[in-house]
């Protein structure tokens, strides 16, 4: 999120800090000064998502083929002038950023509610002013860039710290992003992504030296200024009174500055004329109202010191305070989640919120090992130490000495004790090859940001609940080492869904799978290359979706539709309000997608936008991210490219097919009169329907629902819901209707039983005439469901 108010101050009061530059010219100058060295720009990818996502349609689930084309053009433009790009993504969220993250998520919920209200009122997509990035954008961008041959890294701590460190240590041409923290780091030059003109390769460079000259400060003073103004570590309110006093004594108030701008000038003036005057004579804590926040304050300053750098404002005693603070924090880790707003950064994105436009914000992440603090790494925590430690993002990590992993493994021993497996997971995480696996194994905590879901539509569940059983089985696979089924540690889930105040994480227990011969070890799945191992990986993957009985049919599906069929079969078993027409739309759009170019998809015009179809699009895309998680956990039995949305899903195309099914289009019309597609359509439909029938799930046509639910325009309503997966699944985890927040509970058929309550182990039944669930015997349920 950066330094509070600094972006606006620079733009309005210090425009000379911003200089227009041309990357081609800078690259030529760099090569002349450093012969044989390729000019390299390190990119904070989370800051760039909003810039990259230019397709006109964003509400339908994502225009993925168009988006991939945009990324390809972006990379090619820099490559053509001899510039190498290195992309960094946020990999974790630090504990101290949790409150800020939660506030953004709740704010995003309100924005999403406005988006759905607009769609229902106007039957069209809102303007770009309400833009909300498609679900999974940050996740799939990682894989898109790797597909394009780019060096793509995922952070193990604060992403902007790793970006600044990489830029400094590798003598990079500069940093490309949108975060005022890059004005504070003493690293290579900082360039603005929002000002980038790709055609001319020109943008704005923000100069730290000119900023210091305007404020009368030295480069070493900038971390102190950042913490006094408020940043991602030090809350803005911590020094509010102090800043007010600085302003009251400041005599050079500028009329052309707003109040915040004058506050920045006043605080800088106080640093230059007061704090520096007594520097060395008095301790900083004697000159500032630190109080009980001393450790947090010094931690905030230390967070800006890159490897080998020192601060004149941090004494050895203060350094000890930050170290002690880190040790305390590492005992109780409670990390968190990230898909975010334009200013936050999630595995999803700092560009995620319609109104998040603050240039300085991003999703945060904990250290390599401690989900709570990036200060765990010696090079982050000891501002005075010149000891060089391999960067967490070193692409050569796989070759590093196991000794470097020892401190981390000791801290994470409660989750996974196998050093070799944890090292592999860490390396795959750093190289952006896996998704969420290392987070689960290292900290036992994962997160997922906002999804375009209509909180008022009770007929469709939140994706957080739909895919929870899948995640539970993955947890049992990843955390099996050293635990029997009864002692699995719970995983902390920070998932956004309607009614969740996010005051604390959901503690979710792993769910063991029933596999012949038991659940295989990760060493077998990840490291064994003997014949038969691949089949075992596929077997475990399907078991995670509880589709083992459909293994033969699913494996017979041709690429790239295996993953899609697996996902659809799972969805239609899990969500009983999905109808036959929904299945037709999903399959038809996937089959038609391969024959359409990005330009053709951009030209597709929709008669209207349907709120239910919007939610279905997001639900499927979130399912593709779950496929990535499962595929990673099982040792990559399926090709990652087959799980990418640009190969199997297009939001606008799906929306078009969905509207056509509402109009009664035939299957032939849905596949655009293509005989080959028609044959494939019936094959894929047959696989999904057979898998559902094995679980006693018969997919009904929308027309059969209409007489009972005319008030819902013929949509599947809430009057007839599946309450379990059948007798064989009654003990295999909660159905989504039993996992809600209390606000999404729906009526059910009378006389039906839902699975056992996890707190009392008692059956629950639907009360006659009420449509409400209750325990069969009187008792008070004290454990929060889900």
């Amino acid at each position: 999120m950066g330094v509070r108010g600094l972006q606006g101050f620079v733009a309005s009061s210090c425009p000379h800090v911003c200089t227009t530059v041309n990357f081609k010219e800078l690259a030529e100058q760099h090569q002349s000064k450093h012969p044989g060295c390729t000019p390299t720009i390190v990119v904070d990818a989370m800051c760039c998502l909003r810039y990259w996502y230019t397709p006109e349609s964003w509400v339908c689930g994502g225009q993925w083929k168009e988006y991939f084309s945009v990324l390809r053009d972006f990379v090619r433009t820099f490559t053509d002038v001899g510039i190498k790009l290195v992309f960094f993504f946020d990999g974790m969220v630090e504990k101290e950023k949790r409150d800020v993250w939660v506030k953004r998520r709740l704010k995003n919920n309100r924005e999403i509610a406005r988006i759905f209200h607009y769609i229902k009122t106007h039957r069209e997509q809102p303007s770009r002013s309400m833009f909300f990035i498609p679900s999974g954008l940050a996740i799939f961008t990682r894989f898109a860039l790797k597909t394009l041959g780019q060096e793509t890294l995922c952070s193990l701590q604060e992403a902007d710290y790793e970006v600044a460190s990489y830029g400094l240590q590798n003598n990079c041409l500069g940093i490309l992003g949108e975060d005022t923290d890059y004005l504070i780091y003493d690293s290579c030059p900082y360039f603005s992504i929002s000002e980038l003109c790709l055609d001319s390769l020109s943008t704005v460079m923000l100069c730290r030296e000119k900023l210091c000259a305007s404020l009368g400060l030295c480069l070493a003073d900038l971390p102190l200024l950042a913490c006094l103004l408020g940043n991602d570590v030090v809350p803005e309110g911590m020094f509010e009174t102090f800043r007010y006093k600085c302003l009251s004594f400041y005599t050079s108030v500028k009329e052309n500055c707003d109040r915040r701008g004058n506050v920045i000038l006043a605080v800088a003036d106080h640093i230059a004329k007061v704090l520096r005057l007594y520097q060395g004579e008095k301790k900083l804590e004697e000159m500032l109202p630190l109080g009980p926040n001393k450790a947090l304050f010094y931690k905030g300053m230390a967070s800006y010191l890159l490897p080998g750098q020192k601060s004149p404002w941090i004494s050895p005693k203060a350094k000890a305070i930050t170290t002690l603070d880190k040790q305390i924090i590492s005992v109780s880790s409670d990390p968190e989640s990230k898909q975010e707003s334009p200013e936050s950064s999630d595995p999803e994105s700092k560009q995620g919120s319609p109104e998040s436009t603050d240039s300085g914000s991003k999703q945060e992440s904990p250290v390599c090992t401690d989900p709570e603090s990036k200060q765990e790494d010696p090079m982050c925590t000891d501002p005075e130490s010149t000891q060089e430690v391999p960067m967490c993002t070193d692409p050569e990590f796989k070759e590093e000495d196991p000794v470097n992993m020892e401190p981390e493994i000791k801290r994470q021993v409660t989750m996974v004790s196998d050093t070799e497996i944890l090292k592999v997971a860490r390396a795959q995480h750093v190289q952006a090859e896996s998704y969420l696996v290392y987070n689960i194994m290292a900290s036992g905590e994962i997160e997922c940001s906002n999804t375009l879901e209509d909180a008022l539509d009770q007929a469709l569940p939140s994706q957080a609940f739909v895919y929870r059983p899948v995640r539970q089985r993955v947890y049992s696979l990843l955390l099996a080492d050293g635990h029997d089924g009864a002692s699995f540690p719970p995983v902390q889930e920070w998932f956004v869904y309607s009614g969740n105040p996010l005051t604390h994480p959901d503690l979710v227990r792993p769910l063991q799978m029933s596999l012949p011969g038991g659940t295989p070890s990760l060493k077998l799945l990840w490291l064994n290359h003997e014949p038969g191992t691949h089949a075992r990986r596929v077997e475990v993957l399907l078991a995670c979706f509880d589709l083992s009985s459909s293994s033969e049919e699913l494996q017979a599906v041709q690429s790239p539709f295996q993953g899609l069929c697996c996902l659809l079969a799972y969805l239609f078993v899990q969500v009983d309000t999905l109808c036959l027409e929904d299945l037709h739309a999903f399959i038809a759009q996937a089959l038609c997608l391969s024959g359409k170019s990005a330009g053709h998809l951009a030209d597709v015009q929709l008669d209207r936008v349907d709120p239910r179809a919007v939610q279905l699009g997001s639900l499927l895309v979130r399912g593709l991210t779950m496929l990535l998680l499962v595929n990673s956990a099982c040792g990559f039995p399926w090709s990652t490219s087959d799980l990418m949305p640009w190969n199997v899903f297009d939001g606008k195309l799906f929306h078009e097919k969905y509207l056509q099914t509402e109009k009664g289009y035939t299957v032939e019309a849905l596949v655009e009169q293509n005989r080959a597609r028609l044959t494939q359509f019936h094959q894929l439909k047959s696989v999904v329907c057979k898998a559902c029938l094995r679980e006693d799930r018969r997919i009904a046509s929308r027309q059969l629902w209409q007489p009972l639910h005319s008030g819902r325009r013929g949509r599947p309503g809430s009057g007839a819901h599946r309450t379990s997966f059948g007798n064989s699944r009654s003990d295999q985890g909660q159905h989504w209707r039993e996992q809600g927040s209390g606000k999404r509970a729906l009526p059910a058929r009378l006389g039906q039983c839902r699975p056992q309550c996890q707190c009392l182990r008692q059956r629950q039944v639907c009360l006659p005439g009420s449509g409400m669930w209750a325990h069969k015997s009187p008792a008070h349920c004290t454990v929060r469901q889900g």
Side-chain angles (χ1 to χ4, degrees):
M1 191 166 155
V3 183
R4 307 299 189 270
L6 187 57
Q7 183 73 29
F9 170 77
V10 169
S12 62
S13 303
C14 303
H16 61 283
V17 172
C18 304
T19 305
T20 300
V21 295
N22 182 274
F23 278 126
K24 183 178 180 180
E25 296 174 0
L26 291 177
E28 293 171 351
Q29 295 170 13
H30 189 274
Q31 280 188 312
S32 65
K33 293 180 182 178
H34 308 280
C37 180
T38 302
T40 301
I41 295 176
V42 54
V43 183
D44 185 337
M46 303 303 295
C47 291
C48 302
L49 296 179
R50 178 178 288 261
Y51 176 88
W52 286 329
Y53 193 87
T54 57
E56 180 181 350
S57 176
W58 49 269
V59 80
C60 297
Q63 300 307 108
W64 298 98
K65 188 171 280 192
E66 294 177 58
Y67 181 65
F68 187 87
S69 177
V70 170
L71 290 177
R72 183 176 55 226
D73 292 342
F74 180 89
V75 168
R76 182 186 297 140
T77 302
F78 282 91
T79 303
D80 287 347
V81 296
I83 296 177
K84 176 185 176 181
L85 300 175
V86 177
F87 298 88
F88 275 80
F89 287 82
D90 288 293
M92 295 182 178
V93 174
E94 295 185 5
K95 179 181 180 179
E96 58 265 25
K97 314 297 175 61
R98 180 59 63 201
D99 289 343
V100 174
W101 183 88
V102 166
K103 289 178 182 178
R104 291 176 188 155
R105 302 291 74 70
L106 297 178
K107 183 179 181 181
N108 287 350
N109 279 344
R110 295 191 290 271
E111 291 302 316
I112 289 173
R114 289 180 54 215
I115 290 172
F116 275 101
H117 176 74
Y118 185 95
I119 293 172
K120 293 173 184 177
T121 303
H122 301 281
R123 292 159 51 103
E124 63 182 17
Q125 174 179 280
S127 67
R128 189 81 177 189
S129 64
M130 296 177 69
F131 174 72
F132 197 92
I133 65 169
S135 298
L137 190 67
I139 301 164
F140 292 117
T141 302
R142 299 182 204 171
F143 291 94
L145 291 170
K146 292 185 76 67
T147 300
L148 293 169
Q150 299 303 294
E151 185 173 352
T152 307
L153 304 171
C154 196
S155 72
L156 287 161
Q157 59 185 89
E158 178 69 23
D160 59 16
Y161 180 90
E162 295 196 13
V163 167
S165 296
Y166 188 97
L168 177 66
Q169 295 183 335
N170 293 277
N171 192 29
C172 289
L173 181 64
I175 294 168
L176 184 61
E178 202 71 23
D179 188 331
T180 45
D181 275 335
Y182 294 126
L183 269 173
I184 307 301
Y185 287 112
D186 187 3
S187 182
C188 58
Y190 161 42
F191 305 106
S192 168
I193 181 64
S194 66
E195 299 294 332
L196 174 63
C197 175
L198 201 59
D199 291 337
S200 63
L201 267 183
S202 63
T203 188
V204 166
M205 178 178 72
L206 290 86
C207 181
R208 303 179 191 91
E209 289 75 13
K210 290 182 179 180
L211 175 63
C212 286
S214 299
L215 298 175
L217 300 177
C218 303
L219 285 175
D221 299 328
L222 291 179
L224 175 59
L225 175 69
C227 290
L228 292 176
L229 295 176
N231 56 17
D232 289 346
V233 176
V234 181
E236 185 176 12
M238 183 169 152
F239 290 104
E240 185 173 1
T241 302
F242 169 79
R243 291 192 297 270
Y244 178 79
K245 289 182 178 179
C246 290
L247 184 61
S248 64
F249 287 105
Y250 185 54
T251 57
S252 303
V253 174
K254 292 187 177 181
E255 295 182 358
N256 62 333
C257 276
D258 58 14
R259 185 180 184 281
R260 187 180 287 271
N262 279 313
V263 165
I264 293 175
L265 291 170
V267 173
D269 184 71
H270 187 81
I271 293 173
K273 296 180 178 178
V274 179
L275 299 184
R276 194 182 295 149
L277 179 65
Y278 296 102
Q279 189 176 10
E281 298 179 17
K282 294 183 179 181
K283 299 174 182 178
L284 189 58
E285 53 262 34
E286 295 176 1
M287 298 186 284
L288 292 174
L290 298 183
N293 300 308
K294 184 186 303 183
L296 182 64
F297 174 75
Y298 281 116
K299 183 175 183 177
M301 283 212 296
S303 69
Y304 288 111
L305 301 181
L306 303 179
Q309 295 180 349
K310 301 179 181 180
S311 170
W313 297 104
I314 302 180
S315 65
K317 181 179 179 181
K319 181 173 61 178
I321 292 174
T322 62
T323 303
L324 175 62
D325 177 59
K326 288 178 295 183
Q327 292 172 349
I328 293 174
I329 288 179
S330 65
V331 173
S332 59
S333 67
D334 187 9
E336 205 164 319
S337 145
K338 22 188 153 212
Q339 172 175 4
E340 334 227 331
S341 69
E343 37 182 2
S344 68
S345 63
D346 158 296
E348 287 259 332
S349 141
K350 16 180 126 164
Q351 308 296 334
S353 146
E355 59 180 68
S356 42
T357 55
D358 183 0
S359 60
S361 130
K362 79 180 105 244
Q363 189 164 347
E364 324 290 355
S365 77
V367 213
C368 326
T369 64
D370 182 348
E372 293 210 16
S373 163
K374 67 181 164 197
Q375 306 299 340
E376 290 296 341
D377 189 316
M379 66 184 187
C380 320
T381 61
D382 185 351
E384 301 204 3
S385 169
T386 57
Q387 177 184 8
E388 295 296 332
V389 179
M391 291 184 61
C392 300
T393 54
D394 184 357
E396 300 301 319
F397 171 78
K398 296 180 182 179
E399 305 299 327
E400 77 180 16
D401 192 304
V403 173
N404 293 331
M405 279 286 290
E406 188 174 7
E408 172 180 348
I409 296 196
K410 286 182 179 177
R411 285 194 293 270
Q412 303 303 335
V413 70
T414 55
M415 300 307 297
V416 175
S417 61
D418 190 321
T419 303
E420 182 181 15
I421 284 297
L422 188 59
K423 184 176 179 180
V424 172
R426 182 179 185 263
Q428 290 177 347
H429 173 95
V430 168
Q431 295 300 314
E433 296 169 352
S434 65
Y435 171 58
L436 290 183
V437 169
Y438 181 71
N439 307 58
I440 295 167
M441 299 176 71
S443 66
E445 185 170 26
I446 64 170
E447 56 273 332
C448 183
S449 187
N450 305 77
T451 303
L452 280 181
E453 296 175 341
D454 185 3
L456 301 180
D457 183 0
Q458 292 191 328
L460 285 175
S462 169
Q463 63 89 18
F465 301 133
V466 171
Y467 300 114
R468 177 172 286 179
V470 176
R471 298 194 300 274
Q472 288 178 284
R473 297 183 183 100
V474 171
Y475 300 157
S476 71
L477 177 64
L478 297 179
L479 304 179
D481 178 39
H483 302 282
D484 56 36
S487 65
F488 274 127
V491 173
Q492 299 179 66
E493 290 190 346
W494 293 90
F495 275 60
V496 180
Y497 54 83
S498 175
N500 184 7
L502 295 172
T503 53
H504 53 76
D506 291 333
L507 301 181
V508 179
R509 292 280 179 184
L511 184 64
Q512 284 190 300
M513 296 175 280
S514 297
L515 285 165
T519 302
S521 68
L522 293 181
K523 283 189 175 180
L524 173 65
L525 294 176
W526 293 8
L527 306 178
N528 191 301
H529 301 290
E530 295 179 1
T533 304
H534 175 77
R536 188 66 166 150
R537 294 184 185 119
V538 174
E539 180 183 31
V540 178
L541 183 149
L542 294 178
C544 287
F545 286 94
D546 216 353
L547 292 171
S548 299
S549 60
S550 301
S551 175
E552 185 176 346
E553 292 91 339
L554 286 169
Q555 292 190 65
V557 174
Q558 69 182 59
S559 174
F561 303 115
Q562 267 188 341
L564 179 66
C565 281
C566 173
L567 180 57
L568 291 177
Y570 175 83
L571 271 178
F572 278 77
V573 169
Q574 183 79 344
V575 184
D576 52 9
T577 54
L578 295 176
C579 62
L580 195 60
E581 286 76 9
D582 298 330
L583 179 61
H584 288 178
F586 279 129
I587 296 176
Q589 65 85 29
L591 293 174
C592 294
L593 179 60
S594 61
K596 300 185 185 298
S597 66
H600 182 102
L601 294 168
D603 292 336
V604 172
Q605 298 296 316
L606 300 176
D607 297 335
R608 62 182 177 86
V609 173
D610 184 280
R612 183 173 183 271
V614 167
Q615 191 164 344
L616 288 179
S618 294
L619 183 61
L620 186 88
V621 171
R622 285 295 189 194
L624 292 175
T625 67
M626 285 299 101
L627 273 169
L628 284 176
L629 167 61
V630 177
N631 198 48
S632 303
C634 295
F636 304 98
W638 286 347
S639 170
T640 302
S641 64
D642 289 345
L643 311 180
M644 294 297 106
W646 48 86
N647 289 326
V648 294
F649 180 79
D650 179 87
K652 202 159 47 166
L653 186 59
F654 166 71
H655 219 94
E656 180 184 61
K657 301 302 178 184
Y658 179 91
L659 296 178
Q660 288 174 353
T661 64
E662 282 200 333
K663 296 175 182 177
Y665 276 40
T666 64
V667 171
E668 290 80 1
L670 290 178
V671 297
E672 301 171 4
Q673 311 299 332
N674 184 297
R675 286 192 175 184
R677 289 182 196 152
L678 182 62
T679 300
Q680 247 184 323
F681 178 95
H682 287 299
Q683 290 173 344
L684 300 184
K685 176 183 175 181
S686 175
V687 170
V688 175
C689 289
K690 286 180 179 179
C692 291
L693 283 174
R694 287 190 178 93
E695 304 303 333
D696 195 27
R697 164 70 158 111
R698 290 170 175 77
I699 306 174
S701 168
R702 180 185 293 121
Q703 297 176 357
L704 298 180
W705 292 91
Q706 191 164 3
L708 296 175
H709 307 283
S710 57
R712 289 182 178 269
R713 299 190 351 265
R715 287 173 35 191
S718 58
H721 300 288
R722 295 175 59 77
T723 56
S724 73
F725 294 103
N727 294 334
S728 63
R729 294 195 178 206
S730 61
D731 59 348
Q732 294 296 303
Q734 292 173 288
H735 185 269
W736 65 266
R737 297 187 184 284
E738 284 81 62
Q739 303 184 77
S741 61
K743 293 189 176 182
R744 297 183 69 90
L746 302 176
R749 292 191 293 270
L750 299 183
Q752 285 191 330
C753 287
R754 84 196 221 175
Q756 290 178 330
C757 173
Q758 290 187 341
C759 62
L760 297 177
R761 300 295 176 189
Q762 295 175 339
R763 303 290 283 183
Q764 297 183 356
V765 295
C766 183
L767 297 179
S770 69
M772 301 292 290
W773 293 110
H775 293 291
K776 293 184 71 173
S777 61
H780 182 62
C781 176
T782 58
V783 177
R784 180 180 174 211
Q785 292 287 323

